[in-house]
Amino acid sequence: MAAPSRLSLLQVCSTRLFLLRCTQAFHSEPAVREPAYPPVIPSRTAKSKSAKKRREEDYHSQIRAASSVQDKLRLLTKLQRDKYVVYPQTFTLNADRWYQHFTKTVFLPGLPEKCSVGRQVVDNENGKVPPAAGGVEPAVVDENTFSELRSLVGNGILQENFYLKKRRPFLQKEQEHFVAPFLSNLVSSVTNALAKYNPLLKKSSLGSKVTDPCSYGHTQFHLVHDRFKRDRLIKGNLADQIEVRLRANAIASLFAWTGAQAMYQGFWSHEDLTRPFVSQAVVTDGQYFSFFCYQLNTLALTVQTDQNNPRKNICWGSESMRLYEEVKDGEVVGFNDDVLKLLVHFLLNKPQKM
Amino acid sequence: MFKVVLHGVRSNEPMLLAVQKGNASRSAFLKYSHRRRCDVGGRRFFSATWSLFGRGPPSRKEKKTVDIPGLERVTYADRMHFVPGLAKPIFPEWQRDWHDPHHYRGPDNEEMKLHKENPCYIFNQRTKILEGVRQALWLTKSKLIQGLPEHILSLAEDPANQIEDQDERVQQAIRHSRFWDTTALRPKRDRFCPVLLRDLLHLCGTLQVKHTSLSKRILAENYGVAALWNRESDVFQVRGLNGMLLNSMTPLPAVAQSGEVLATENHTLETFYPISPTIDLQCTYVYDQKNDTGFRDGYPYPHTHTLFFTETEDSAAKFKPEQLRAKMIMFAFGNALARAKSLYGEHPQVLEHPVVVQSIATDGRLFQFIVLQLNTTDLGPDTGVKNLVWMDQDQLLYDYAKCRPLIKKKVVTVPAGLSGYQPETFKKFLALHLHGAV
């Protein structure tokens, strides 16, 4: 038999020539060849998991490729499925923890530094306003305007509860009867009074639609419904749920609002936000006010997109504070200035140019 | 219990029968005639049909009984059962010894505490009077002047008083109220009408930066006004829960000067014989004579500035423009009269400082403007100084606000969106708002 004589591999490899040829072969580019067949991708119509995945990918790329935001929204909302409806004012227990989970929100008690009342809000005659770090100017309102605001708010409260002769309200309509007109008066009078400090307020409009040029929401005002009022909760042994409900209300409504604004700008769960969206809310039942500030950082909350998403949405909130103790004989007793200062500060928040 | 009398008339619609009805069956009748005859499954509501349109039991002719004091009839009351031949006993009226709210019959008119000899004709917020503005002018002893006063209109022409991008912002407000306020296709009228009014008021309020006296005003809702006056031997009252009211700390200045006021003495009020001026007013013998502005003493905003009327969900309060204008005049007059009486007393007199009240009504598209100046509270005789009413009627704010375009024969006649905006109307709105503050 003619056994071919072979060099053992080790001997071959040891020859330098071979080595050189080997290294040359490792580092040089392989010859580019046109693929002869189309790429192997799963089917679109088969009854398989990979086909379903492919359909989803196609849908997502179709949305990504949509020409305008309206097209995108139309494609996203074309197919209506069964959904769980989340109500901001709810009777579920510990609703704020639920809502935080639904919207991937972190709740931080207390308001962010920018909005806290510790900083100088009212300019006294003698004191000077200290310069703020980071180029953020604290909003300053002079004493006159502040006292004017105080009298406006006081008059509003008195009008509803004392001066206006009203019949006793029908069952469970107390909030609508007493508080809603006060709130609308409050909002309009305070915004108008502060318009000279914040030119943005001059251009503002009361409403829900955000469109050019007002494409960002500023502040929401929520009135707590009669069913969820404080005294009813205390009667039902749910005194600890008061704050919970207010927080849940704020988280749900602010998430919805900022989310909607972001979607109107073209972001959705697979095209996540490039800049955060911020908004504020004031929740009140006429006497107790709580202030909330929300920053939307991410909309990518689906199972797929949440895999590697380190971002979370943040909500800052305060405890509920009393604006006044009670109304007695035509006088508002125990008016709390801090609450009003916070409200003023909220409304004076100006957007900074980036 | 009610009685149904069937007329010998055949018609396809549910007839308005002579039904002596209580409130429950009246609402059942209305519900039946407005809603469908069947439910979604095609089942008919026989309980409603029979009770409303059934023939009912045959009416019995009652025999006349003659009561002779000495000769009482023998009844079967002692026997405790019917006996043929004996008379039917008449028992005394049985009264329940506890108060049952479901079976309570209120006292008669004559027994009420506030019953009076003379009737009072009341104009409330649902009254739609037949002769409209003419009747309102007779009732309030006023003279009508078409068109708003010149010096008020000139307030809006002044560029210093205009809002930045006024037209654009008003159009945004209209679009917000008509298109964007709902997730459905189009919002209903009783929703977009108050939203539009609030947006326009908010726009006017942004002028507070320039005119600080605008801050001396406040809006009030759901207040009740009451005013009483005599007019040629009849007593009239205006009572009602009004819509929205703008109150201010300072009174409005008089629009017409004293010369013009005295000249109204020569004007004769228009009567409309054979129609009585009290037609369509609620005539009642039980009434309280009071004059009330709706607010307590010491209210920091005592002077009425403007009344606002919008379309509400109350289906009985849908007004045609003529009746709406009449209502505006009556309520403005009621407010002015109540204020004048609280300032100057009940005695009828010619006022030195006339009280001026403005009024704006809208149905979301048409605006009616009225300025009323109360010169006199001496309303009894037909002669003498009259009050003055300036009226600007049926001002369109925009022609069309369509959610879907109007297409006739494949040609788009009216495009979707807001079209035909007229800036003049908002200028008048702004002028009335600024009157008294500038």
Side-chain angles (χ1 to χ4, degrees), chain B residues 238-258:
Chain B
V238 168
R239 291 277 195 111
L241 272 182
N242 213 359
M244 256 200 297
L245 180 67
L246 189 65
N247 284 325
S248 82
M249 287 185 178
T250 50
L252 279 169
V255 176
Q257 301 316 314
S258 54

PDB file of all heavy atoms in Angstrom, chain B residues 238-258:
ATOM      1  N   VAL B 238     -88.974  89.190  40.172  1.00  0.00           N
ATOM      2  CA  VAL B 238     -87.992  88.388  39.442  1.00  0.00           C
ATOM      3  C   VAL B 238     -87.318  87.522  40.472  1.00  0.00           C
ATOM      4  O   VAL B 238     -86.807  88.015  41.463  1.00  0.00           O
ATOM      5  CB  VAL B 238     -86.942  89.292  38.760  1.00  0.00           C
ATOM      6  CG1 VAL B 238     -85.788  88.455  38.257  1.00  0.00           C
ATOM      7  CG2 VAL B 238     -87.561  90.045  37.621  1.00  0.00           C
ATOM      8  N   ARG B 239     -87.356  86.215  40.257  1.00  0.00           N
ATOM      9  CA  ARG B 239     -86.688  85.320  41.201  1.00  0.00           C
ATOM     10  C   ARG B 239     -85.918  84.325  40.389  1.00  0.00           C
ATOM     11  O   ARG B 239     -86.395  83.867  39.371  1.00  0.00           O
ATOM     12  CB  ARG B 239     -87.716  84.533  42.002  1.00  0.00           C
ATOM     13  CG  ARG B 239     -88.519  85.295  42.964  1.00  0.00           C
ATOM     14  CD  ARG B 239     -87.770  85.462  44.242  1.00  0.00           C
ATOM     15  NE  ARG B 239     -88.651  85.887  45.299  1.00  0.00           N
ATOM     16  CZ  ARG B 239     -88.979  85.123  46.316  1.00  0.00           C
ATOM     17  NH1 ARG B 239     -88.494  83.918  46.407  1.00  0.00           N
ATOM     18  NH2 ARG B 239     -89.802  85.577  47.217  1.00  0.00           N
ATOM     19  N   GLY B 240     -84.781  83.910  40.860  1.00  0.00           N
ATOM     20  CA  GLY B 240     -84.174  82.791  40.136  1.00  0.00           C
ATOM     21  C   GLY B 240     -82.748  82.559  40.485  1.00  0.00           C
ATOM     22  O   GLY B 240     -82.053  83.411  40.999  1.00  0.00           O
ATOM     23  N   LEU B 241     -82.322  81.323  40.189  1.00  0.00           N
ATOM     24  CA  LEU B 241     -80.914  80.968  40.288  1.00  0.00           C
ATOM     25  C   LEU B 241     -80.307  81.343  38.961  1.00  0.00           C
ATOM     26  O   LEU B 241     -80.667  80.785  37.930  1.00  0.00           O
ATOM     27  CB  LEU B 241     -80.767  79.465  40.475  1.00  0.00           C
ATOM     28  CG  LEU B 241     -80.804  78.903  41.862  1.00  0.00           C
ATOM     29  CD1 LEU B 241     -80.600  77.427  41.782  1.00  0.00           C
ATOM     30  CD2 LEU B 241     -79.726  79.505  42.714  1.00  0.00           C
ATOM     31  N   ASN B 242     -79.402  82.241  38.972  1.00  0.00           N
ATOM     32  CA  ASN B 242     -78.853  82.685  37.717  1.00  0.00           C
ATOM     33  C   ASN B 242     -77.638  81.871  37.339  1.00  0.00           C
ATOM     34  O   ASN B 242     -77.185  81.019  38.055  1.00  0.00           O
ATOM     35  CB  ASN B 242     -78.481  84.153  37.858  1.00  0.00           C
ATOM     36  CG  ASN B 242     -78.683  84.839  36.554  1.00  0.00           C
ATOM     37  OD1 ASN B 242     -79.066  84.219  35.592  1.00  0.00           O
ATOM     38  ND2 ASN B 242     -78.412  86.111  36.535  1.00  0.00           N
ATOM     39  N   GLY B 243     -77.051  82.164  36.220  1.00  0.00           N
ATOM     40  CA  GLY B 243     -75.862  81.437  35.791  1.00  0.00           C
ATOM     41  C   GLY B 243     -74.635  81.952  36.492  1.00  0.00           C
ATOM     42  O   GLY B 243     -74.370  81.695  37.649  1.00  0.00           O
ATOM     43  N   MET B 244     -73.864  82.775  35.778  1.00  0.00           N
ATOM     44  CA  MET B 244     -72.635  83.288  36.356  1.00  0.00           C
ATOM     45  C   MET B 244     -72.738  84.791  36.455  1.00  0.00           C
ATOM     46  O   MET B 244     -73.345  85.444  35.610  1.00  0.00           O
ATOM     47  CB  MET B 244     -71.470  82.965  35.419  1.00  0.00           C
ATOM     48  CG  MET B 244     -70.638  81.831  35.911  1.00  0.00           C
ATOM     49  SD  MET B 244     -69.024  81.785  35.222  1.00  0.00           S
ATOM     50  CE  MET B 244     -69.306  81.528  33.521  1.00  0.00           C
ATOM     51  N   LEU B 245     -72.088  85.304  37.464  1.00  0.00           N
ATOM     52  CA  LEU B 245     -72.179  86.738  37.698  1.00  0.00           C
ATOM     53  C   LEU B 245     -70.795  87.273  37.960  1.00  0.00           C
ATOM     54  O   LEU B 245     -70.013  86.668  38.685  1.00  0.00           O
ATOM     55  CB  LEU B 245     -73.064  86.946  38.927  1.00  0.00           C
ATOM     56  CG  LEU B 245     -73.327  88.351  39.375  1.00  0.00           C
ATOM     57  CD1 LEU B 245     -74.153  89.049  38.359  1.00  0.00           C
ATOM     58  CD2 LEU B 245     -74.058  88.317  40.680  1.00  0.00           C
ATOM     59  N   LEU B 246     -70.477  88.414  37.370  1.00  0.00           N
ATOM     60  CA  LEU B 246     -69.203  89.055  37.637  1.00  0.00           C
ATOM     61  C   LEU B 246     -69.489  90.242  38.548  1.00  0.00           C
ATOM     62  O   LEU B 246     -70.227  91.145  38.160  1.00  0.00           O
ATOM     63  CB  LEU B 246     -68.588  89.523  36.317  1.00  0.00           C
ATOM     64  CG  LEU B 246     -67.160  90.026  36.347  1.00  0.00           C
ATOM     65  CD1 LEU B 246     -66.223  88.916  36.729  1.00  0.00           C
ATOM     66  CD2 LEU B 246     -66.763  90.573  35.002  1.00  0.00           C
ATOM     67  N   ASN B 247     -68.930  90.222  39.743  1.00  0.00           N
ATOM     68  CA  ASN B 247     -69.145  91.308  40.697  1.00  0.00           C
ATOM     69  C   ASN B 247     -67.901  92.148  40.800  1.00  0.00           C
ATOM     70  O   ASN B 247     -66.796  91.633  40.653  1.00  0.00           O
ATOM     71  CB  ASN B 247     -69.430  90.732  42.087  1.00  0.00           C
ATOM     72  CG  ASN B 247     -70.823  90.204  42.181  1.00  0.00           C
ATOM     73  OD1 ASN B 247     -71.727  90.748  41.595  1.00  0.00           O
ATOM     74  ND2 ASN B 247     -70.998  89.126  42.900  1.00  0.00           N
ATOM     75  N   SER B 248     -68.064  93.419  41.092  1.00  0.00           N
ATOM     76  CA  SER B 248     -66.862  94.228  41.247  1.00  0.00           C
ATOM     77  C   SER B 248     -67.002  95.129  42.460  1.00  0.00           C
ATOM     78  O   SER B 248     -68.084  95.338  42.990  1.00  0.00           O
ATOM     79  CB  SER B 248     -66.622  95.063  39.997  1.00  0.00           C
ATOM     80  OG  SER B 248     -67.399  96.224  40.028  1.00  0.00           O
ATOM     81  N   MET B 249     -65.841  95.659  42.883  1.00  0.00           N
ATOM     82  CA  MET B 249     -65.848  96.507  44.074  1.00  0.00           C
ATOM     83  C   MET B 249     -66.355  97.892  43.759  1.00  0.00           C
ATOM     84  O   MET B 249     -66.857  98.587  44.633  1.00  0.00           O
ATOM     85  CB  MET B 249     -64.426  96.627  44.617  1.00  0.00           C
ATOM     86  CG  MET B 249     -63.944  95.382  45.288  1.00  0.00           C
ATOM     87  SD  MET B 249     -62.366  95.692  45.992  1.00  0.00           S
ATOM     88  CE  MET B 249     -62.016  94.158  46.760  1.00  0.00           C
ATOM     89  N   THR B 250     -66.197  98.314  42.517  1.00  0.00           N
ATOM     90  CA  THR B 250     -66.615  99.681  42.165  1.00  0.00           C
ATOM     91  C   THR B 250     -67.819  99.602  41.243  1.00  0.00           C
ATOM     92  O   THR B 250     -67.907  98.707  40.413  1.00  0.00           O
ATOM     93  CB  THR B 250     -65.483 100.407  41.422  1.00  0.00           C
ATOM     94  OG1 THR B 250     -65.034  99.560  40.376  1.00  0.00           O
ATOM     95  CG2 THR B 250     -64.350 100.722  42.362  1.00  0.00           C
ATOM     96  N   PRO B 251     -68.745 100.548  41.358  1.00  0.00           N
ATOM     97  CA  PRO B 251     -69.933 100.479  40.487  1.00  0.00           C
ATOM     98  C   PRO B 251     -69.583 100.929  39.081  1.00  0.00           C
ATOM     99  O   PRO B 251     -68.617 101.643  38.847  1.00  0.00           O
ATOM    100  CB  PRO B 251     -70.908 101.452  41.153  1.00  0.00           C
ATOM    101  CG  PRO B 251     -70.045 102.406  41.875  1.00  0.00           C
ATOM    102  CD  PRO B 251     -68.825 101.665  42.298  1.00  0.00           C
ATOM    103  N   LEU B 252     -70.419 100.503  38.138  1.00  0.00           N
ATOM    104  CA  LEU B 252     -70.235 100.932  36.756  1.00  0.00           C
ATOM    105  C   LEU B 252     -70.671 102.381  36.619  1.00  0.00           C
ATOM    106  O   LEU B 252     -71.682 102.780  37.192  1.00  0.00           O
ATOM    107  CB  LEU B 252     -71.078 100.068  35.823  1.00  0.00           C
ATOM    108  CG  LEU B 252     -70.494  98.713  35.458  1.00  0.00           C
ATOM    109  CD1 LEU B 252     -71.546  97.883  34.766  1.00  0.00           C
ATOM    110  CD2 LEU B 252     -69.297  98.880  34.553  1.00  0.00           C
ATOM    111  N   PRO B 253     -69.975 103.160  35.812  1.00  0.00           N
ATOM    112  CA  PRO B 253     -70.396 104.553  35.641  1.00  0.00           C
ATOM    113  C   PRO B 253     -71.665 104.610  34.780  1.00  0.00           C
ATOM    114  O   PRO B 253     -71.932 103.712  33.994  1.00  0.00           O
ATOM    115  CB  PRO B 253     -69.216 105.196  34.920  1.00  0.00           C
ATOM    116  CG  PRO B 253     -68.542 104.075  34.231  1.00  0.00           C
ATOM    117  CD  PRO B 253     -68.748 102.852  35.062  1.00  0.00           C
ATOM    118  N   ALA B 254     -72.423 105.673  34.939  1.00  0.00           N
ATOM    119  CA  ALA B 254     -73.670 105.821  34.180  1.00  0.00           C
ATOM    120  C   ALA B 254     -73.342 105.988  32.697  1.00  0.00           C
ATOM    121  O   ALA B 254     -72.416 106.704  32.327  1.00  0.00           O
ATOM    122  CB  ALA B 254     -74.440 107.035  34.680  1.00  0.00           C
ATOM    123  N   VAL B 255     -74.106 105.312  31.875  1.00  0.00           N
ATOM    124  CA  VAL B 255     -73.822 105.340  30.444  1.00  0.00           C
ATOM    125  C   VAL B 255     -74.451 106.578  29.802  1.00  0.00           C
ATOM    126  O   VAL B 255     -73.827 107.291  29.033  1.00  0.00           O
ATOM    127  CB  VAL B 255     -74.362 104.060  29.789  1.00  0.00           C
ATOM    128  CG1 VAL B 255     -74.159 104.114  28.310  1.00  0.00           C
ATOM    129  CG2 VAL B 255     -73.673 102.851  30.365  1.00  0.00           C
ATOM    130  N   ALA B 256     -75.726 106.811  30.124  1.00  0.00           N
ATOM    131  CA  ALA B 256     -76.410 107.960  29.525  1.00  0.00           C
ATOM    132  C   ALA B 256     -76.447 109.086  30.539  1.00  0.00           C
ATOM    133  O   ALA B 256     -76.702 108.864  31.713  1.00  0.00           O
ATOM    134  CB  ALA B 256     -77.827 107.575  29.129  1.00  0.00           C
ATOM    135  N   GLN B 257     -76.213 110.274  30.088  1.00  0.00           N
ATOM    136  CA  GLN B 257     -76.185 111.409  31.014  1.00  0.00           C
ATOM    137  C   GLN B 257     -77.602 111.855  31.359  1.00  0.00           C
ATOM    138  O   GLN B 257     -78.569 111.389  30.779  1.00  0.00           O
ATOM    139  CB  GLN B 257     -75.397 112.553  30.375  1.00  0.00           C
ATOM    140  CG  GLN B 257     -73.984 112.173  30.022  1.00  0.00           C
ATOM    141  CD  GLN B 257     -73.324 111.384  31.132  1.00  0.00           C
ATOM    142  OE1 GLN B 257     -73.415 111.744  32.318  1.00  0.00           O
ATOM    143  NE2 GLN B 257     -72.688 110.293  30.793  1.00  0.00           N
ATOM    144  N   SER B 258     -77.688 112.800  32.295  1.00  0.00           N
ATOM    145  CA  SER B 258     -79.003 113.142  32.847  1.00  0.00           C
ATOM    146  C   SER B 258     -79.918 113.750  31.796  1.00  0.00           C
ATOM    147  O   SER B 258     -81.137 113.604  31.859  1.00  0.00           O
ATOM    148  CB  SER B 258     -78.839 114.109  34.020  1.00  0.00           C
ATOM    149  OG  SER B 258     -78.085 115.217  33.600  1.00  0.00           O
TER     150      SER B 258
END
